[in-house]
Amino acid sequence: MNLTVFFVVGLLVHIVFFMSIFDIYFTSPLVHGMTPQRVPLAPPAKRLVLFVADGLRADSLLQPNANGTRRAPYIRNIIEEMGSWGVSHTRVPTESRPGHVALIAGFYEDVSAVARGWKENPVEFDSVFNESRNTWCWGSPDILPMFAKGASGDHVYTHMYSAAMEDFAAKDASKLDTWVFDEVKAFFSSAKGNESMLAKLRQEQNVFFLHLLGIDTNGHAHRPMSSEYLKNVEIVDTGVEEVVSIVEDFFDNDGKTAYIFTSDHGMTNWGTHGAGHPSETLTPLVAWGAGVQGPQRVATQHFDDRYLPEWRLENVKRLDVSQADIAPLMSSLIGVPIPLNSVGILPLEYLNNSKVFKAESMYANSLQIMEQFKVKMAQKKDTTLSVLFTPYQLLTESKQLDFIQKARSLIQQGEYDEAISVCHAMIALATEGLTYYHTYDRFFLGCSVVLGFVGWTSYVVLIILKTHAGLRKPRAPRDLTTSKAPGRIFFSVALGITLFLLVQASPWTYYIYCLLPVPIWYSVVKEAGTLSDLISSTPSLPLSKCFGYFLLVIPGIELLVVSFFYRATLTVGLAVLSGWPLFSHLYTKTKAWSLAWTLVCLLLAAFPMMPVVGREPSVTLVMCAGALTVLTSACFLSVSRTRGPVQRRDRQLCACQMVHVALCAYVVSSTHSSLSQKQGLPLFNQLVSWMTLASLFVVPLMSSTRLFQRLLSISLSLVSTYLLLSTGHEALFPPVLSLLMFVWINLEQEATHTQGVSSKVELSSFDFSDSIDITKIRQLKLDDIRRSYFFIFFIVTAFFGTGNIASINSFDPASVYCFLTVFNPFVMGALLMWKVLIPFLIVMCTFETIQVSTQLSSRSLFLIVLVISDLMALHFFFLVKDYGSWLDIGTSISHYVIVMSMTIFLMLLSIVSHILTSRRIHVCRKMKMHFP
């Protein structure tokens, strides 16, 4: 197969494998077409006021100050004297959009949003706002439009400040909250003179939503333990008190207003959120007013988190809920149907009402979840052959009817507690049934993808053997009838699969996943003769050595897999790799480079043992990284000059780049100093940062294509950009990694010489722009498997060396402050991903150099890398799970996505690295002069 065709086919196959995970695990659980369920009794409240303090941790609100004073005296008084309180347990990802959806719509993260968007949910959904008669919202433009857009009709009114106000560098981010409070005050003040508005406001089933973003913004900018964050909590407490007073006065203290104060997510001590740390998942919930139970005194109570003594609330009953349970609570208080997609369970202990009202509310809650189950079951039944359909046995149609009739009968007989128990059991079974039908096709699709994986990997292995084991002799002609038989068989299989999917009205993506293994395995069968040819043509194949490499590679792949869960495993791997020159007897050939390899490997091994990026910011370490880069670059340039002449132009360019690295380190220091003094982001620093990013690829292309000069230029350019995106010790990672890559290039050259390669390549005179002599391209050797494994290991180290899944999911916004401070998730996310890719590029350019200098075709090494990475991806495919905590589920899926993305990125980045190393831009080329 032609190299270009193979590359395109391989890319398409891996894209299909990558996209399959979204059909298997990332499909939306939401269904439509349910019947709304209402409680046939009068609700206790006419209106609801919802306060959501974005980014507020439970302990930040409830824990007293160091001097014993109350941090939020008004809300604290409500807890002790007027209402009920507890901790709302959020789920991963602890971000604003999924948090607000759980609060207001009653369902957790719609996983299809992973591939579709951040600010808005990708699928239309019902919410308390949509079911209300009127809803007025004040707050952030990142949250409010999501609920206004999803509402049927025009009864959701939004009042938003401009996005430019969400500035992490602002002198006082609490102005976001004071803006909301001032707008609410002005709204009620102006409504007194507006008859039509008065009529709307005095209707029942109204909701007032105040989204308070200041705490979250101050937490990101200054950390949750900062004075700015804690002062913002006090401002919110005062604002809530003022709004409650205004609302009560406006409605003449009619006692028909219910209030809920909570948060969408918490925040870590280092100012991030998104993962599953208790500081991110434990948020406060305080409810009071009409229909809400007052404080309940208890002698003792026990919770695993042991926060009650610190909060001094041991004697006030704590009522914990899941975040999605708040939506049914709000619906019950004002008498609107529970959101159709809600999976929340009504927390009855928060209600101050009769037993019959609680039983009827619980009955409506169970019917609402049962409606989702019925729709989900009907959808799956319609798209599955009747002989193959297997219903959820614990909740068949007859059992559904039995549950409903029993609950209704118990309510009519006055057995309210028993009826509530039946409703809880019905909700539990319906929730399990929803999961059952949502994952109904998972095994079928998973088997198809695994077949494709195994077939593709087998095909690549056969191609490697065929190309590099001397199997180029023509085969004996085969009988045409026999050669056509496999094609007919596979065509029949493909036709049968197509008819099966057609009868079941399966989505078009199912055709791709199920039919893809057919041509792949057909290609494997066609190449199956390669193995027999190999055995017959190479009887002296060193099987013992092959078996030894196999024993080493398999544990090596397992080590890489484990490193995705435990970063410290990379430290063990680097420690083992540090002894490679000793194991391979390279130490006797080149002691200096062997010693350098051991030392730098051990130095790099320290990074996976360090804290995750963002926890302890240190501008001093960034400055040290800049100084280390300049120092090592100067030494690198001196070494290269001893090996051969360096053009004056290259020396000047390298000197300019070293000065630029120092400038970038200064920009980081200056930016953080300016922000700490609340003077904003200096324009000069911002211009330098964006210009550095824009010239990232341009500057290296201006240098000579000689090996040492080009690699130095690439390294300086990448490191300078990385410095601008660093906040602490991670800034030291690229310089150390670059140093190790330089040593690796030299050691691989020595290893090639010891293997008896005929034509020796001198690194000092090597030029990337020289055309490769095809006659000098050698065949694969067993040692090339080791080279490919090293490459994969360093790629994984580049990704996890300074972070893990949580650091990607909950990054520190401070890392992008040199570029922008106004909240923009897409630009910030793009900058973060670029920061992740920079170490990738360093490793890729190194591997490109090794491939060329060791006289091996890029296709050959790439195929070995492809096999190793595909084996890792297949491993993670089996490790994906849909049970356990949401963090475990999300992490397992993320691992597969990362490995698949890595394979695709390697294909694309190999092109980028080739351009970076072999192309050159000629600027101000001088005209050649001839003198007599």
Side-chain angles (χ1 to χ4, degrees), residues 21 25 443 446-447 449-451 453-454 870-883 892 896:
I21 202 73
Y25 294 99
F443 179 77
C447 289
V449 173
V450 169
L451 277 174
F453 253 122
V454 176
D870 281 347
L871 288 175
M872 290 177 60
L874 185 60
H875 203 127
F876 283 120
F877 188 86
F878 285 114
L879 290 177
V880 170
K881 54 185 178 182
D882 58 352
Y883 58 89
S892 67
Y896 174 78

Side-chain angles (χ1 to χ4, degrees), residues 573-634:
L574 285 166
V576 173
L577 290 188
S578 67
W580 166 53
L582 186 62
F583 304 146
S584 60
H585 306 293
L586 278 175
Y587 179 76
T588 58
K589 306 288 184 179
T590 169
K591 294 184 179 180
W593 288 118
S594 298
L595 181 61
W597 168 269
T598 301
L599 292 177
V600 182
C601 270
L602 294 177
L603 184 60
L604 192 68
F607 286 93
M609 300 295 293
M610 294 181 182
V612 174
V613 170
R615 296 195 175 188
E616 296 296 335
S618 175
V619 177
T620 303
L621 291 177
V622 179
M623 299 291 288
C624 291
L628 176 64
T629 303
V630 173
L631 179 62
T632 53
S633 298

